[in-house]
Amino acid sequence: MTPLARRRLFRAASIGHILVGIAHFNGQFLGRLKGLPLPAGEAEVMARMAALGGEMLGLRFSLLGVLDCLGLFYTAFALFVGLQNLVTLRLVADGAPPPRELAWLNAGLCVVLGAIAALLGLAPPLLCYAVLLPLFALSALGKSEA
């Protein structure tokens, strides 16, 4: 595979990371931010999660708040990884392929996040990482440019 093709695959997969972050934010928060009504069952679950909580070190927290913070972290992480990849690719010489170690690191990240999604039974992120994994793996393959 040519260095240009590997570079395009890496760029496409990095943009995929960014799209996953945007989709996750939209799916978890956009409906609540817009004030859209929730289905009856979901509204009850959200109310119970908001009521569950405790106090630690003088701070009050709820289960809903903890899950929202984890969701924001995941969104920020996906955006950061995608942007970091694009910046790194920009710093590499124009005709050179993406850094092989970074491509394998991203492939490993897709495996871990896909495994977590599979364990939790979350189909959308599992499908996203099933698409991104081969793109990163293919961008890492090929002759070394020594």
Side-chain angles (χ1 to χ4, degrees):
M1 182 177 301
T2 66
L4 183 59
R6 291 170 53 194
R7 194 175 176 95
R8 286 180 180 161
L9 286 172
F10 188 82
R11 181 179 296 119
S14 298
I15 292 170
H17 267 310
I18 294 170
L19 293 176
V20 165
I22 292 170
H24 182 269
F25 182 81
N26 288 341
Q28 185 169 358
F29 299 107
L30 199 60
R32 282 190 276 159
L33 291 175
K34 284 186 172 182
L36 299 176
L38 296 172
E42 189 175 340
E44 181 182 341
V45 169
M46 297 290 263
R48 287 187 183 192
M49 286 188 345
L52 282 175
E55 190 172 320
M56 185 183 303
L57 301 173
L59 299 174
R60 171 110 176 96
F61 64 93
S62 69
L63 179 60
L64 183 61
V66 170
L67 292 177
D68 282 348
C69 287
L70 288 173
L72 282 174
F73 173 77
Y74 178 78
T75 297
F77 180 69
L79 292 174
F80 172 76
V81 169
L83 291 173
Q84 175 192 12
N85 288 342
L86 292 177
V87 167
T88 303
L89 192 61
R90 186 82 173 154
L91 295 175
V92 174
D94 280 340
R100 177 172 285 162
E101 297 82 6
L102 185 60
W104 283 122
L105 184 67
N106 278 277
L109 178 65
C110 290
V111 167
V112 169
L113 293 176
I116 291 171
L119 288 173
L120 295 175
L122 304 172
L126 178 61
L127 292 174
C128 291
Y129 291 118
V131 170
L132 294 181
L133 173 63
L135 294 178
F136 279 121
L138 287 173
S139 72
L141 297 176
K143 279 194 303 185
S144 178
E145 303 293 322

